Amino acid sequence: MNYKMSLPIAAVLLAGLCASPALAEDKGVIVAFVPSSTNPYIGQWAKGAQAKAGELGYTLKVIENNFNQAEQDSQVQQQLASGEKVAGYVWWPFENAAGVGSLRALSQSGAPVIVSNQYPIKGTEAYWTAYAGANDFLSGKTAAEILLDACAKSGVKCDKGAIIRFPAGVSAGDDRATGFQDAVKGKLDVLTVVPTAGFLEDEGYKVAAQIIPANKGQLTWLYTENDSLAGAAAQAARENGLVPGKDILIVGGTCHGDSKHVKNGEIAGTAIQSGYWEGWMAVQALGKFNTQGKVQDGETYLADNPDAPPADSDPVFKYNFLPNPAVGNSQAAYDAAKMWGKSADELCNF
Amino acid sequence: MLRMTNISKRYGATEVLREVALEVRSGEVMALMGENGAGKSTLVKILAGIEPADAGTIEIAGEPVTIRSPRHSQAAGVAYVAQELSIVESLSVAENVFLGDTDAGLFRSPRSLSTKARPFLLKVGLEQVDPLELAENLSVAERQLVEIARLLSRKARIAILDEPTAALSDAEILRVKGAVRTLADNGCAVIYVTHRMAEVFELSTRVTVLRNGRSFPSIETASLTVDTLIEHMLGRKLEQMFPARATRMGESVVELDQCIGHGLLAPISLSVRRGEILALAGQVGSGANAVLRMLAGVLPVASGTMKLRGAAFAPHSIADSIAAKVAYCSDDRKRDGIFAVRSVPENLSAPALDRVSRLQMISPVMESRHTRGIAELFGIDLAYLTRLAGNLSGGNQQKVALGKWLGIEPDVLLVEEPTRGVDVGARAEIYRHLRSLAERGLTVIFASSDTQEVLGLADQIATFYHGRMVRVVSAESSTPESIVRDVIHPTLAA
Amino acid sequence: MSIMTDVSPSAARRRSVPRFVWVIAAIVALYLVAGVITPSFATFDNMLVIVRAASITGIVAIGMSYVTISGNLFALSAAALGAFLAVIFALAVGHLGFAAGLAATLLVAILAGMAQGLSISVVGNPIITTLAFSTVFRGLAALFSGNSIVRIDSDIALALGTGRPLGVPTQSWAFIALALVSWALIRRARLGRLLVLSGANPQTAIASGLNVRLATVVAFVALSVGVAIMAVFTVSQFSQAKADLFAGYDFDYIAAVLVGGIALRGGQGSPLQAALGAILIALLQNFMLLNGFTAGLRMTVVGGLVLLATGAFHLLQRRLR
């Protein structure tokens, strides 16, 4: 069992356990099940969730698993067996499909369940109250729009290209690739879709450094599903004599990793997908439901207001999506970009 | 009942059995005797189907049989009790009696199985043992008896007992002897492999002697004396095998004063001189090896003091003894004598890496010179230097295991069983080289259960029996008979 | 007992083909076959790409071969140690500059190697010990990095990570140099001999007065240094380090050692074989990547290659016995 909790979370948890229910401030405990925060994005998510929970008067308990669904399942069993009264659960399964049993068990406890980050599987609607998190189709679509826009602007002839995607089985990878391909249908020619073995620079470089020379003179664009992979692909392109932004257009579509490739124009642009705000909005959705007592059918994209986060009084829908505001590929554009009152730099460089 | 003729067997280059014959009648106990490595175990393993013979025929009750596996052997009515017992500790005594008996399936219940087992247990003198008791609660002797009860239950026609009393006390031996008599009285042809003279004379009707892989016609036990039996076992051709004895010896190099350690029941005092070869003669477990192991730093000295070149010597590890120029070669060459997967030169330089390297790098020139030097001293064919040690014959492996120590220029060489698993030709060579090293001032102390070797190679002989040193005698004044008496049964000694 | 020859029947034809020759043959065969199937494969450029792809894995595999040769099977802590050292390097470069950062990383690597080697001589089981160390290292990486990306801004580092002297990436130079140096060390250095003998038969080594414990420590220090080199190159190339770097790579290092034909029993083989194994795997990976094999299929094929190689080497060994 591997409860890796950062010290402040543990401290808050202790405080939560000790606090008596008589305190008017305390609205109860929210329990979030997430993979390990050794992944920086998940670490950001936990920070955002913590911030919103504190603001709303909840105590947040984050239970991390070490990227292991079996471990997460047993954590759910233990949490339920403890009989603790909770204000609600937040569910981020490690393996979406494999975790359905645990999701069902959580829902049967009677407490509201907010699903985050992993887009729920069709047919499980009865097991969760609302989804609040990223929309990976949207991420792929936004990336496609950035790319098409860049093609039009730069005058580079865009036809054949390749997708470097997340490892097989990662649903975010499937969804982003689908969203991207739907958006470029009839406009761009996808030569090949190559999965990596990971999400970081070293893997992105490994794959890009092999497919770029193999398709020399053919590739005009690359979509890599995140900016870590995109930055590494830009490096590989340069090493193969291609100037990113001129000979080849590269887009990651989610700011993740080093922003320097966006700022210096090597990547055609990016979009803010903030782990911090995703955690924040998941807790907000739970808070909304506990106050308003109802969920509206359908979906909503929260407004990507640069200066202020969405109000707690807004209704909560069955699907609540995190916006992916696009960011231009220059220092100025990057500096100006903001989402919900935080700068791109704060949200992307964690 | 049993007639084995012209049985031959070789392992690689070593001929273990050559045209051996063995004949046993129903109802008799045939003692199978011979020195270590004479081929006794191989012969009975062939009969039990554990090892295939290369040539020869086996007849049981007049019918020729082919034995290629233990199953064949059992089907032919042969039952084998190995030195390592096959008692299953987690099963009951009764279940062990009927272990592997396919007919036993008809009466599975513990109660009926126990009723069935009782008469057999009675016959071997285990009447006081509850058949439902777990076998793990039995003593070694009782387990041995359960094995014999199993033989009885199977109505074996031929029973092989391979050193059944090796690990037993005298009182326990009595019970096993009784059980063996019962076996024979039930019409079984019993082959009894042993080292112990007393048992041979008490139990057996006839004796077959194996020597160097050959058999001799069986002899009625009644016509033998201890002396004539020993003569048969040893043969009479020791002379050409061994080099001459030491002509001059120096001052005392190794001294043990009232030393005792694990495996010894009484304190040992010994003194060995420069250039002397001392034999520690004894059977397995006699304590002879313990003396070597104390000197090598492998076995702690519980009490007493050791001296090396006149100074106190108390090694705590092999590295300590090596630093003091004392080298030790155990009797298990494969385990800790050689690096089987490495080449001969790498084996030879292993204890002396500092002598073949310069600035922490191994110098091929120095290593080659080192290797050739040892090869010359120890008669290792230069053609073998490119081979892996594991691919050499036993004799050459032993030369490597011993020879590697010459690299550290030791003052004392401690060797357990210097020629175990070595064929006769290589033995003579090893003896010759050890003697010539002794003549250059090396002190050699070796433990051996081979009487020929003890008598032929050593200047002085210390005999051991059951953890005690019997006496120290000069080799000149000893005879094979006197040594064998000392190490097998000192009370028989005059 | 008349014939007393030492030449057993199979000894005469025991001039066995060294294992690394088989690996080279496999590399050449695969290269030719793949070149026929995929035209873009058999080009000089692609050959460079393959060596580059093999470099990072290969550097660690060379280190891993020390552990295997010393008779300690393999370590399951290399990837996690890599992440920890990457974080240490990034932090140290940020605060102390490149040279001091490099020195600090090597120092931590050596200490980590010694700690593992000494623990194994106490616990006795390298697999379990390194498994435990793996979680320790990963945890330390997370703690030190505070679960966020540690960035560096060093021109020397960037030059080291992205430079191409004579058109060949620095990583590949390091890989080739390390393979040759390690090969010489195992063959010629006294410590190398100690490692080989300790792996060949630890009991005989102890009985010969050799320090087997030292051999284990040296082997793990060598592995840790290899891991440190990988970490330094990776951080330098991307100017950043994260706690979840190299996750899931342990099998790749072990696979290279096994495909290179280094016997798991220890005492045999050379680091050069691990390097060749890494190249063979990179070659296969490249071929599959260019032909659009999915990641799952690629993993299956590489796993199959490991099984095939270990099985084939085992049979080869038996036939020669």
Side-chain angles (χ1 to χ4, degrees):
Chain A
M1 203 64 11
N2 201 343
Y3 297 89
K4 282 205 205 91
M5 280 179 259
S6 63
L7 221 52
I9 298 179
V12 171
L13 167 62
L14 267 179
L17 287 174
C18 300
S20 78
L23 275 170
E25 274 295 297
D26 190 15
K27 293 193 192 158
V29 176
I30 298 174
V31 180
F33 296 92
V34 301
S36 170
S37 65
T38 53
N39 177 311
Y41 184 87
I42 301 174
Q44 282 295 304
W45 188 98
K47 266 188 204 156
Q50 203 71 58
K52 187 65 187 175
E55 182 198 321
L56 293 178
Y58 289 102
T59 302
L60 179 70
K61 178 163 101 176
V62 180
I63 300 181
E64 299 180 17
N65 68 79
N66 195 16
F67 306 106
N68 181 340
Q69 190 55 46
E71 185 185 348
Q72 193 174 36
D73 290 342
S74 104
Q75 287 166 346
V76 168
Q77 291 304 322
Q78 293 180 46
Q79 170 63 34
L80 291 175
S82 75
E84 184 184 19
K85 194 102 180 77
V86 301
Y89 292 110
V90 180
W91 178 241
W92 174 342
F94 173 63
E95 281 172 18
N96 208 355
V100 167
S102 289
L103 174 60
R104 187 162 167 268
L106 287 177
S107 73
Q108 284 171 346
S109 74
V113 181
I114 302 294
V115 179
S116 190
N117 189 274
Q118 299 284 305
Y119 190 84
I121 292 167
K122 269 205 171 53
T124 62
E125 289 79 4
Y127 305 150
W128 43 276
T129 313
Y131 173 79
N135 180 337
D136 287 302
F137 293 101
L138 177 67
S139 166
K141 184 165 162 270
T142 310
E145 284 161 1
I146 293 169
L147 179 63
L148 291 169
D149 192 40
C151 290
K153 272 194 202 141
S154 68
V156 174
K157 183 175 141 276
C158 290
D159 48 14
K160 289 175 183 165
I163 299 176
I164 296 176
R165 53 152 298 173
F166 293 165
V170 176
S171 63
D174 299 333
D175 297 348
R176 286 182 198 182
T178 310
F180 179 88
Q181 280 174 297
D182 288 350
V184 300
K185 201 163 276 172
K187 298 169 187 158
L188 298 174
D189 182 6
V190 180
L191 275 182
T192 174
V193 180
V194 187
T196 63
F199 306 91
L200 302 183
E201 280 80 359
D202 54 338
E203 264 302 317
Y205 179 84
K206 207 191 248 176
V207 172
Q210 299 191 52
I211 64 164
I212 293 173
N215 296 289
K216 215 163 195 168
Q218 293 199 60
L219 295 180
T220 57
W221 57 266
L222 274 177
Y223 169 53
T224 63
E225 300 204 339
N226 77 24
D227 282 4
S228 284
L229 298 176
Q235 196 176 77
R238 246 185 294 115
E239 288 180 4
N240 280 283
L242 298 174
V243 178
K246 221 173 109 204
D247 305 321
I248 188 166
L249 293 173
I250 300 170
V251 66
T254 52
C255 70
H256 177 273
D258 205 338
S259 56
K260 112 184 148 205
H261 301 282
V262 179
K263 291 175 186 166
N264 67 15
E266 286 190 339
I267 301 183
T270 188
I272 297 172
Q273 175 166 338
S274 164
Y276 182 89
W277 287 125
E278 188 178 19
W280 187 93
M281 75 176 282
V283 171
Q284 187 197 37
L286 190 61
K288 281 181 188 171
F289 176 79
N290 282 344
T291 333
Q292 302 167 10
K294 61 175 195 294
V295 173
Q296 301 201 11
D297 283 343
E299 55 179 52
T300 181
Y301 289 93
L302 302 188
D304 59 353
N305 183 331
D307 298 314
D312 293 343
S313 54
D314 291 349
V316 55
F317 287 79
K318 189 71 178 173
Y319 293 92
N320 307 271
F321 294 126
L322 181 71
N324 290 64
V327 180
N329 62 346
S330 67
Q331 183 77 46
Y334 196 88
D335 288 345
K338 276 173 95 179
M339 174 183 173
W340 295 355
K342 282 185 183 286
S343 71
D345 224 28
E346 274 179 279
L347 294 174
C348 296
N349 290 338
F350 38 79
Chain B
M1 174 56 68
L2 170 74
R3 187 192 302 274
M4 298 173 81
T5 37
N6 288 330
I7 305 288
S8 295
K9 170 81 185 171
R10 49 168 59 239
Y11 293 113
T14 317
E15 193 171 40
V16 193
L17 295 176
R18 184 167 186 191
E19 292 170 10
V20 166
L22 176 67
E23 192 226 298
V24 193
R25 302 183 200 126
S26 292
E28 82 167 341
V29 177
M30 170 66 80
L32 194 55
M33 295 213 68
E35 288 224 288
N36 282 339
K40 304 182 300 275
S41 284
T42 312
L43 182 63
V44 296
K45 278 181 181 162
I46 287 171
L47 184 56
I50 297 165
E51 299 267 0
D54 295 338
T57 55
I58 302 176
E59 281 176 40
I60 291 177
E63 299 281 319
V65 290
T66 313
I67 294 178
R68 287 265 143 208
S69 74
R71 191 162 289 278
H72 289 157
S73 167
Q74 279 172 23
V78 179
Y80 175 54
V81 181
Q83 277 169 299
E84 305 82 31
L85 298 182
S86 62
I87 293 290
V88 182
E89 294 192 342
S90 56
L91 293 182
S92 73
V93 170
E95 282 169 316
N96 267 294
V97 168
F98 294 108
L99 193 71
D101 187 339
T102 40
D103 297 337
L106 296 174
F107 35 86
R108 266 277 158 75
S109 93
R111 192 154 296 282
S112 65
L113 208 58
S114 122
T115 321
K116 272 293 220 188
R118 201 171 286 283
F120 298 113
L121 293 173
L122 201 74
K123 276 185 186 166
V124 297
L126 283 179
E127 57 275 0
Q128 83 290 0
V129 170
D130 180 359
L132 296 177
E133 175 98 47
L134 283 185
E136 64 183 1
N137 298 329
L138 299 188
S139 72
V140 177
E142 285 171 331
R143 292 175 194 201
Q144 189 71 256
L145 293 170
V146 170
E147 291 246 13
I148 295 174
R150 189 190 294 162
L151 299 191
L152 286 168
S153 82
R154 291 209 187 140
K155 306 195 173 52
R157 296 190 287 181
I158 299 164
I160 308 166
L161 297 153
D162 195 352
E163 301 210 31
T165 57
L168 304 187
S169 70
D170 290 347
E172 291 171 326
I173 290 172
L174 273 180
R175 298 171 73 183
V176 173
K177 279 187 214 159
V180 172
R181 271 195 210 99
T182 314
L183 260 180
D185 292 348
N186 277 274
C188 198
V190 180
I191 301 170
Y192 195 87
V193 182
T194 186
H195 270 121
R196 300 187 191 230
M197 291 283 164
E199 290 165 23
V200 173
F201 285 98
E202 283 172 47
L203 272 178
S204 72
T205 37
R206 292 191 297 162
V207 181
T208 297
V209 172
L210 290 184
R211 189 164 77 223
N212 285 342
R214 299 186 198 215
S215 63
F216 294 83
S218 62
I219 311 159
E220 296 287 332
T221 313
S223 71
L224 283 168
T225 65
V226 172
D227 288 335
T228 51
L229 180 52
I230 290 172
E231 251 170 58
H232 274 102
M233 282 169 62
L234 299 179
R236 277 295 183 193
K237 49 176 183 78
L238 306 181
E239 292 71 27
Q240 74 276 32
M241 182 111 182
F242 295 98
R245 293 216 165 78
T247 44
R248 53 189 151 80
M249 283 184 271
E251 75 289 359
S252 171
V253 173
V254 176
E255 274 171 68
L256 273 75
D257 186 23
Q258 297 289 314
C259 286
I260 198 157
H262 184 76
L264 288 172
L265 300 176
I268 307 278
S269 295
L270 272 175
S271 164
V272 198
R273 285 169 292 173
R274 183 176 301 282
E276 179 179 18
I277 299 184
L278 171 71
L280 309 175
Q283 298 289 339
V284 174
S286 64
N289 285 351
V291 175
L292 295 182
R293 287 174 192 184
M294 287 193 297
L295 279 167
V298 181
L299 187 72
V301 182
S303 74
T305 53
M306 301 193 296
K307 276 187 182 170
L308 181 68
R309 294 182 290 263
F313 179 55
H316 295 293
S317 69
I318 289 204
D320 285 354
S321 66
I322 291 173
K325 291 194 175 284
V326 174
Y328 164 72
C329 234
S330 89
D331 57 2
D332 195 337
R333 187 166 59 230
K334 283 224 150 43
R335 192 190 65 209
D336 57 21
I338 59 165
F339 300 97
V341 297
R342 303 307 308 182
S343 73
V344 171
E346 285 171 317
N347 270 273
L348 292 179
S349 59
L353 286 183
D354 48 345
R355 285 161 189 259
V356 298
S357 46
R358 195 184 291 139
L359 299 172
Q360 294 297 313
M361 296 300 277
I362 295 196
S363 148
V365 178
M366 287 161 81
E367 184 166 37
S368 156
R369 199 185 305 141
H370 181 92
T371 310
R372 278 163 192 274
I374 294 176
E376 229 163 79
L377 274 176
F378 230 88
I380 300 168
D381 192 332
L382 294 181
Y384 296 147
L385 293 188
T386 54
R387 294 252 200 103
L388 300 188
N391 290 344
L392 299 179
S393 70
N396 278 308
Q397 284 186 6
Q398 185 69 5
K399 284 189 197 169
V400 169
L402 286 171
K404 68 168 188 254
W405 290 113
L406 302 186
I408 65 162
E409 291 169 13
D411 289 343
V412 181
L413 181 60
L414 310 169
V415 192
E416 291 175 6
E417 302 291 346
T419 59
R420 174 170 289 179
V422 172
D423 53 49
V424 175
R427 276 184 190 201
E429 265 189 87
I430 288 173
Y431 297 145
R432 191 156 50 77
H433 293 301
L434 286 175
R435 174 54 74 192
S436 78
L437 289 167
E439 271 167 15
R440 295 174 192 208
L442 179 70
T443 302
V444 179
I445 309 178
F446 73 95
S448 175
S449 51
D450 180 334
T451 314
Q452 288 186 34
E453 178 170 285
V454 165
L455 208 52
L457 180 60
D459 301 309
Q460 297 275 329
I461 301 168
T463 48
F464 285 78
Y465 178 76
H466 272 228
R468 289 166 212 276
M469 189 166 84
V470 181
R471 74 184 98 225
V472 183
V473 286
S474 80
E476 304 260 76
S477 64
S478 302
T479 63
E481 293 76 9
S482 70
I483 301 293
V484 170
R485 275 202 200 94
D486 279 0
V487 302
I488 290 185
H489 209 325
T491 51
L492 285 180
Chain C
M1 288 300 214
S2 51
I3 319 148
M4 239 20 106
T5 58
D6 272 324
V7 183
S8 61
S10 59
R13 54 176 168 80
R14 198 169 280 142
R15 294 243 157 255
S16 59
V17 184
R19 286 178 169 206
F20 73 89
V21 175
W22 292 105
V23 187
I24 291 178
I27 290 174
V28 171
L30 185 62
Y31 192 70
L32 293 178
V33 170
V36 169
I37 297 172
T38 317
S40 60
F41 188 86
T43 60
F44 178 72
D45 276 0
N46 200 43
M47 193 70 223
L48 268 186
V49 165
I50 289 164
V51 174
R52 171 65 183 83
S55 299
I56 285 292
T57 312
I59 286 170
V60 181
I62 289 169
M64 189 71 78
S65 71
Y66 282 82
V67 170
T68 309
I69 291 171
S70 75
N72 286 294
L73 303 173
F74 38 72
L76 294 176
S77 55
L81 178 60
F84 175 47
L85 292 176
V87 169
I88 292 286
F89 178 68
L91 287 173
V93 167
H95 289 98
L96 309 166
F98 180 81
L102 193 63
T105 309
L106 280 175
L107 182 70
V108 173
I110 289 168
L111 290 176
M114 284 166 63
Q116 291 187 83
L118 289 173
S119 307
I120 284 163
S121 21
V122 176
V123 177
N125 185 323
I127 304 288
I128 289 170
T129 311
T130 56
L131 197 60
F133 267 100
S134 148
T135 45
V136 171
F137 291 142
R138 189 67 76 186
L140 286 174
L143 275 179
F144 276 72
S145 69
N147 282 339
S148 52
I149 301 170
V150 187
R151 288 169 213 288
I152 59 169
D153 187 13
S154 159
D155 291 339
I156 310 173
L158 198 63
L160 179 73
T162 58
R164 300 198 147 213
L166 304 177
V168 175
T170 45
Q171 287 86 346
S172 303
W173 284 116
F175 172 53
I176 294 164
L178 212 60
L180 295 176
V181 167
S182 295
W183 176 65
L185 280 178
I186 287 288
R187 261 181 91 86
R188 292 290 297 281
R190 200 176 146 176
L191 274 178
R193 179 67 65 83
L194 170 68
L195 234 71
V196 169
L197 293 177
S198 299
N201 186 340
Q203 270 109 345
T204 309
I206 291 168
S208 302
L210 298 175
N211 191 341
V212 173
R213 197 171 282 203
L214 176 67
T216 301
V217 171
V218 168
F220 275 89
V221 168
L223 170 62
S224 300
V225 169
V227 170
I229 295 172
M230 161 182 81
V232 165
F233 271 121
T234 306
V235 173
S236 297
Q237 188 181 359
F238 306 113
S239 298
Q240 59 181 27
K242 294 176 204 174
D244 55 351
L245 265 177
F246 313 122
Y249 286 8
D250 279 310
F251 180 74
D252 296 16
Y253 313 139
I254 297 163
V257 168
L258 293 176
V259 169
I262 296 178
L264 267 187
R265 261 175 317 185
Q268 283 166 291
S270 105
L272 212 50
Q273 282 171 256
L276 290 171
I279 292 178
L280 179 57
I281 291 175
L283 195 69
L284 192 65
Q285 287 274 23
N286 180 265
F287 173 69
M288 293 190 292
L289 201 72
L290 297 188
N291 283 284
F293 286 33
T294 64
L297 189 54
R298 268 147 55 192
M299 274 160 73
T300 313
V301 170
V302 171
L305 175 69
V306 170
L307 282 177
L308 190 76
T310 40
F313 283 123
H314 186 73
L315 288 178
L316 214 62
Q317 185 93 17
R318 272 234 299 254
R319 197 165 59 81
L320 290 169
R321 212 134 257 249

